[in-house]
Amino acid sequence: MNFNYIKSLVLILAISITACSSDDDNNSLSGENKLRVEFDNGVNGDDLLLGAATYTNTNGETLTINRFNYIVSNFVLIDAEGNEFTYPKDDSYFVISEENELTEVVLENIPAGKYVALKFGVGVDQEKYQQGAEGQGNFLQIAEDNEMMWSWQAGYKFLNFEGTFTSETVTEPTVFQIHMGSHGSSLDNYREVTLQLPTQALVSDNLSPVVHMAIDANQVLDGQHKIKLSEKAVIMIDEVKSPQISENVNGMFRVDHVHNGDNIQH
């Protein structure tokens, strides 16, 4: 028999064994661990520097951003087979605040798996809000401490975006305030985001992944809907602009990469 032919067969067999071994390793994920989601806030590809930089959008407005806070909630992990793991609802509300350096969400006790997508809400859903003040647990105080409440009766601010701006028609620095939330059932601005992961997030006893999100604050005003501050610099309850801003906010989230850390114990 031809020696090269035999060598090729041996090589193919070795590759097959290695592949099977790799598959076995992936399929043998067991236990549970943490999964971290890091929110890296930026503006149209640049770092977000509160109060220290200016950013110009396609509306011809130049912004200095002094506050960029938002609420994320109701996390769901989706694995390669389409199965969903819903994080416990009472523990699934978080404030992301650039000024207070709250830029990481830690999800505890995630079951082992190969996760390919991440789903979460922006804001607080009606079901949670209707549980009343006592039903909010510690999150109500966290929201108040981070300027994410109007009042209990008025509800949560899902987004608190503030600073100053100038434009062709507004030549002196002028304060802007974009506060987006729900206002009863008639103006429900809670939205869900589903993001595919560029690589699988692997969770097991010794694998604790980090999902790195790249957030673009420019999308708030310069996304699907163009919101001109020169027309209205303070937007809090607006039947037209508030839903448009909520749709823009959905577009500001992107998964940049996933880091699967080895030997990180829960």
Side-chain angles (χ1 to χ4, degrees):
M1 183 178 291
N2 186 287
F3 177 75
N4 289 332
Y5 177 73
I6 295 174
K7 186 167 68 172
S8 297
L9 287 177
V10 171
L11 180 60
I12 292 171
L13 181 60
I15 292 173
S16 298
I17 293 172
T18 301
C20 290
S21 176
S22 177
D23 289 341
D24 289 343
D25 289 343
N26 285 336
N27 291 329
S28 65
L29 298 176
S30 62
E32 60 183 27
N33 217 320
K34 297 177 182 178
L35 181 144
R36 292 175 170 84
V37 185
E38 292 187 353
F39 294 81
D40 185 6
N41 297 311
V43 185
N44 200 24
D46 295 325
D47 291 337
L48 173 57
L49 302 174
L50 294 180
T54 58
Y55 308 95
T56 301
N57 59 32
T58 62
N59 297 324
E61 297 170 335
T62 299
L63 283 64
T64 298
I65 300 169
N66 297 325
R67 173 169 289 154
F68 184 53
N69 299 349
Y70 48 94
I71 294 173
V72 290
S73 59
N74 295 318
F75 281 82
V76 176
L77 292 165
I78 304 170
D79 71 14
E81 285 72 45
N83 302 309
E84 295 188 354
F85 171 73
T86 300
Y87 199 67
K89 187 174 181 64
D90 288 343
D91 301 322
S92 200
Y93 295 83
F94 307 89
V95 171
I96 304 300
S97 172
E98 185 69 18
E99 63 183 314
N100 293 328
E101 299 182 349
L102 300 175
T103 58
E104 183 181 72
V105 166
V106 180
L107 304 178
E108 306 274 359
N109 304 319
I110 304 300
K114 296 178 284 188
Y115 296 101
V116 300
L118 177 67
K119 181 165 63 175
F120 58 92
V122 181
V124 177
D125 55 286
Q126 290 287 324
E127 179 185 349
K128 181 66 173 178
Y129 181 68
Q130 289 172 2
Q131 291 178 1
E134 293 183 358
Q136 308 305 300
N138 295 332
F139 183 70
L140 183 59
Q141 187 62 51
I142 294 170
E144 290 179 342
D145 291 344
N146 289 279
E147 307 292 336
M148 299 305 287
M149 293 287 297
W150 281 294
S151 66
W152 174 245
Q153 290 73 23
Y156 292 99
K157 300 173 188 176
F158 299 173
L159 169 75
N160 189 336
F161 184 49
E162 299 180 348
T164 61
F165 79 101
T166 59
S167 69
E168 289 184 359
T169 58
V170 182
T171 56
E172 293 296 323
T174 300
V175 171
F176 74 84
Q177 293 179 311
I178 308 296
H179 296 172
M180 184 269 292
S182 291
H183 307 283
S185 58
S186 62
L187 194 57
D188 184 1
N189 289 314
Y190 175 80
R191 298 288 188 274
E192 285 190 342
V193 180
T194 301
L195 300 173
Q196 299 298 313
L197 305 182
T199 55
Q200 294 180 345
L202 305 179
V203 177
S204 71
D205 275 333
N206 63 347
L207 289 172
S208 177
V210 181
V211 177
H212 294 263
M213 304 275 287
I215 315 304
D216 184 6
N218 185 60
Q219 292 292 312
V220 176
L221 302 173
D222 203 11
Q224 176 183 352
H225 304 282
K226 305 301 179 183
I227 309 296
K228 293 185 177 181
L229 296 172
S230 55
E231 294 178 353
K232 189 174 185 180
V234 178
I235 302 174
M236 296 188 184
I237 303 175
D238 188 300
E239 291 184 358
V240 175
K241 292 184 184 294
S242 293
Q244 290 178 340
I245 290 168
S246 69
E247 291 178 16
N248 281 356
V249 168
N250 268 32
M252 73 184 189
F253 298 97
R254 178 179 64 86
V255 178
D256 185 71
H257 63 280
V258 176
H259 174 69
N260 287 303
D262 294 334
N263 299 318
I264 301 177
Q265 298 298 321
H266 59 87

